[in-house]
Amino acid sequence: MAVDAARDGVRSRAPARERLRAGGRISRAARYLFFGAVLGYFCIPMAAVLIYSFATRWTANVLPDGYTLDWWQATVSNPRIQSAFSTSMALATLTAFIDIAVVVPAAYWSRVRNARIRHVIEVAAAVPFALPYVVIAFGLMQFSGVVAPQFQGTFVLLVAGHAAIAFPFVYWAVDGAMAAAGIERLSETAEACGASPMQIVRLVVIPNISSGLVTGGLLSFAASFGEFAMAQIIGRGLDTVPLWSAEMIRSYSDTAGSYNRLAVVTLLTFAVLFVLSAVVVYWNRGQTVRLLPGAGASDEGGRR
Amino acid sequence: MATLSRPYAKLGGLESAGGSASPSPIARMRGWLAAWLPAIPLLLLVSTCLIAPVLVLIWQSFTSMGETGLSLDLWFKVLGQHANQDAILTSLVLAASCATVTLIIGAPLSWMISRMLRGSRAFWLGLLNVAANFGGIGLAFAYMATIGSVGMLTLIVQGLGINFEAPREGSLPALLMAYEYTNVPLFVLLTIPAMAILRDDWWEAAQTAAATRLVFWRRIGGPILAPFLAAGWLLIFTWTLGIYGIAYGLAGQSGATAVHLITLQIGSALQSDVLLGPGRAAILAVVLMAFATTSLVLYRIILRRAMRWL
């Protein structure tokens, strides 16, 4: 299929030699078809959810029987949903700040001082990279049951768990930014000028890695905001947006409008994630690739 | 170590250990602290919330039912149960087919996007980035609203007079379709950097040597990209094994009739069975861990081989 891929190309200007990406008329049509299908696959579900959130009743016809703004109004003013949103926001914000606070000093020190820190971090980062969050969450539940049972089911434990699974995002972003800024030289120069370590971090390191901080912070925020498995397993009794959604999707009673409200909440969640992604993409113009969960591992293969 | 800034290196007990007299324990301690102190908060977080939980699970899976000492009893019991065997097999089949479908769609997509002009490239990367971050219950619901039993597409197709029945929400095809929504974007975003390795000059050179497109892809393009695509396949396979939210949203509600997956079995063992549940879930979690670790190791080996071309 890679062959077909090559045949479909972009914009041939009929040069002397056939270009690798050039294609004939048929392959161009095939390419448009392919991209159209992919676009549809990604956009139609969102459209369906959007229509659902405005629909009065939608079980028989191609389009809903009628449209209403009631679901939006009811959902936005529902105190339980409001509290779920504020819990999720607080959870995600704390996760992002804790991750930045613990990762930046460690990443900085691993670059200027003790390279062994890097090896330890990389081993640790492989855990949430490879292991399912269900497994980590379950292990954390068992471990906290042994060590600190009073924390089970609390917000604190969930924040710690989210900070632990989201830290690689921050680490990869921050470490990449440090490499790009050449932080070793900068801090050496600052030292030569007589700056204290705190001054170096505050005046030299942080201003130079701001893009990494923003990116890492937003990615860990997003990871925590949409996280479901860990919230369900160790956050019993809490009410986050994914937990609320799970309850709604399971209580199938369409007449009560739970699906319509779920549609509204799904769109709101999606809007949050969309804004975050947009900021990340804008901030790193064209370099989205480095930010992905695979980045640390694929850096070896992917950095050019 | 070459990058160490000099004043610090002098302070550090670890790096400058070659001194004449062996340092006193206190000085050693101070040196150790100087070398590790800023990393300690992170190391604490990571060891209590990632490393220790994993070790506890492995330990628990071998100490069955409150007995003292190690035993494999529970392992035989859990792995002997039909539902669990079924779950392991289904999870593997689902992950492998998901990864394969992702490869078939994602590889050409990734190649074409890598050769796009800047504007459309940015558009597609943005779209994929958003889709890659969408998941969990929201995605399960979006799937149901689209091709669930009363989803939009289902209704449209039925409205055209075609007798069409959407795959049941808890069935494998349904899970596969929903999973691809995040898998394809992840795969594309991961493999796009590798696509830049294949230089356009090589195609020109091959043409000079009278190679056709087919020959070029079979002899040059394919072999160079194959390790990266294989690595992407392995990652998607690993991640698909561990997906929980989407599966819970789609399959969870049909209860006993839904597919068995390892992750779902872990979740339900925790919720239903207070006494045996944790032990059973621990074993399934260790099984999942073993699969994930194996494929991550393979992934690293493959990537290292792929590096030859960089």
Side-chain angles (χ1 to χ4, degrees):
Chain A
M1 96 253 132
V3 180
D4 293 337
R7 291 215 178 110
D8 307 340
V10 184
R11 256 164 266 268
S12 70
R13 268 178 283 130
R17 281 212 198 94
E18 207 185 355
R19 294 170 82 191
L20 184 54
R21 41 189 140 152
R25 199 172 292 159
I26 298 170
S27 71
R28 180 175 286 196
R31 202 189 62 210
Y32 279 123
L33 205 66
F34 180 68
F35 276 109
V38 173
L39 197 64
Y41 177 74
F42 286 122
C43 295
I44 288 172
M46 290 330 300
V49 175
L50 183 68
I51 299 176
Y52 222 112
S53 73
F54 290 111
T56 48
R57 212 178 75 91
W58 192 14
T59 50
N61 299 313
V62 172
L63 285 175
D65 302 345
Y67 297 93
T68 171
L69 277 174
D70 288 355
W71 305 123
W72 279 86
Q73 210 168 12
T75 307
V76 174
S77 62
N78 182 325
R80 204 184 141 202
I81 295 173
Q82 285 173 354
S83 93
F85 259 95
S86 56
T87 309
S88 280
M89 283 285 178
L91 192 63
T93 313
L94 272 174
T95 300
F97 277 105
I98 291 175
D99 271 339
I100 288 176
V102 299
V103 163
V104 170
Y108 172 64
W109 217 235
S110 82
R111 281 195 170 269
V112 301
R113 178 59 195 284
N114 181 359
R116 277 181 234 194
I117 294 174
R118 169 182 304 279
H119 302 309
V120 180
I121 296 179
E122 264 162 20
V123 171
V127 174
F129 179 68
L131 296 190
Y133 292 171
V134 200
V135 170
I136 299 172
F138 174 50
L140 187 53
M141 181 182 113
Q142 297 298 91
F143 179 63
S144 65
V146 176
V147 186
Q150 68 272 21
F151 280 117
Q152 285 200 313
T154 61
F155 187 73
V156 177
L157 186 65
L158 191 54
V159 170
H162 275 183
I165 54 177
F167 102 86
F169 297 104
V170 181
Y171 174 69
W172 289 327
V174 164
D175 194 56
M178 283 184 178
I183 217 71
E184 295 93 336
R185 282 201 185 166
L186 288 178
S187 90
E188 206 169 329
T189 314
E191 247 169 63
C193 298
S196 71
M198 279 316 287
Q199 276 177 318
I200 296 177
V201 169
R202 200 160 44 87
L203 300 173
V204 177
V205 177
I206 292 186
N208 276 295
I209 57 165
S210 57
S211 75
L213 290 179
V214 170
T215 306
L218 291 178
L219 287 176
S220 60
F221 184 98
S224 162
F225 194 84
E227 204 283 327
F228 169 65
M230 188 170 263
Q232 196 200 28
I233 291 172
I234 64 175
R236 287 181 195 179
L238 295 174
D239 222 3
T240 69
V241 173
L243 287 180
W244 180 88
S245 306
E247 196 180 305
M248 283 302 120
I249 206 172
R250 284 208 143 180
S251 65
Y252 184 78
S253 50
D254 203 9
T255 44
S258 63
Y259 272 27
N260 303 80
R261 274 182 286 154
L262 185 52
V264 175
V265 169
T266 304
L267 281 174
L268 288 175
T269 315
F270 190 75
V272 170
L273 293 179
F274 179 82
V275 170
L276 293 180
S277 310
V279 175
V280 169
V281 171
Y282 176 78
W283 211 277
N284 297 273
R285 263 147 278 196
Q287 293 184 45
T288 43
V289 179
R290 216 178 35 173
L291 320 170
L292 269 160
S298 74
D299 254 2
E300 302 159 15
R303 185 177 288 163
R304 296 187 56 76
Chain B
M1 298 289 150
T3 57
L4 293 177
S5 40
R6 253 161 281 119
Y8 283 143
K10 226 174 278 168
L11 273 172
L14 278 168
E15 285 78 13
S16 60
S20 51
S22 64
S24 70
I26 296 169
R28 256 233 214 92
M29 187 69 198
R30 196 182 292 156
W32 187 87
L33 264 185
W36 289 91
L37 188 65
I40 284 177
L42 178 64
L43 297 182
L44 266 181
L45 176 75
V46 155
S47 51
T48 54
C49 295
L50 293 177
I51 312 285
V54 168
L55 297 179
V56 164
L57 280 190
I58 296 176
W59 173 252
Q60 277 192 341
S61 74
F62 289 110
T63 52
S64 60
M65 299 174 275
E67 287 171 30
T68 48
L70 300 176
S71 91
L72 282 173
D73 288 356
L74 199 58
W75 272 86
F76 287 122
K77 209 168 158 198
V78 169
L79 294 185
Q81 273 174 353
H82 183 70
N84 292 329
Q85 292 170 350
D86 195 30
I88 292 170
L89 190 68
T90 317
S91 279
L92 289 175
V93 168
L94 180 63
S97 39
C98 258
T100 308
V101 172
T102 306
L103 179 72
I104 291 170
I105 301 171
L109 194 62
S110 171
W111 165 255
M112 284 187 255
I113 291 177
S114 78
R115 256 52 183 177
M116 274 179 176
L117 297 179
R118 181 169 280 203
S120 36
R121 198 180 133 99
F123 166 78
W124 279 95
L125 284 181
L127 179 77
L128 294 176
N129 211 30
V130 172
N133 282 320
F134 191 46
I137 305 292
L139 180 55
F141 173 68
Y143 174 86
M144 287 165 67
T146 312
I147 46 175
S149 51
V150 291
M152 186 168 82
L153 277 186
T154 314
L155 292 175
I156 289 178
V157 173
Q158 284 170 351
L160 293 174
I162 300 164
N163 190 11
F164 167 75
E165 216 168 297
R168 255 185 338 101
E169 270 131 27
S171 65
L172 279 186
L175 288 178
L176 193 134
M177 269 190 273
Y179 282 10
E180 292 305 333
Y181 199 91
T182 51
N183 280 348
V184 170
L186 282 174
F187 183 88
V188 172
L189 293 171
L190 282 169
T191 49
I192 272 193
M195 295 296 168
I197 294 168
L198 207 57
R199 288 202 227 124
D200 288 356
D201 323 356
W202 295 348
W203 165 231
E204 282 173 22
Q207 272 183 309
T208 322
T212 60
R213 244 173 232 284
L214 195 69
V215 171
F216 172 77
W217 278 108
R218 207 171 51 205
R219 296 282 172 78
I220 300 164
I224 288 177
L225 291 183
F228 292 101
L229 297 179
W233 188 95
L234 271 173
L235 268 194
I236 297 297
F237 176 83
T238 316
W239 287 336
T240 305
L241 271 182
I243 291 180
Y244 179 63
I246 310 173
Y248 181 88
L250 280 176
Q253 55 190 351
S254 17
T257 61
V259 287
H260 292 294
L261 294 175
I262 306 181
T263 47
L264 290 179
Q265 291 288 102
I266 294 176
S268 67
L270 284 182
Q271 270 151 15
S272 58
D273 202 336
V274 186
L275 207 66
L276 276 182
R280 189 175 301 167
I283 286 172
L284 291 172
V286 172
V287 169
L288 206 47
M289 245 186 252
F291 289 141
T293 315
T294 313
S295 65
L296 190 72
V297 168
L298 272 178
Y299 166 80
R300 295 253 163 173
I301 293 171
I302 290 177
L303 263 194
R304 200 160 300 150
R305 297 202 61 186
M307 293 285 291
R308 287 179 306 181
W309 302 103
L310 289 181

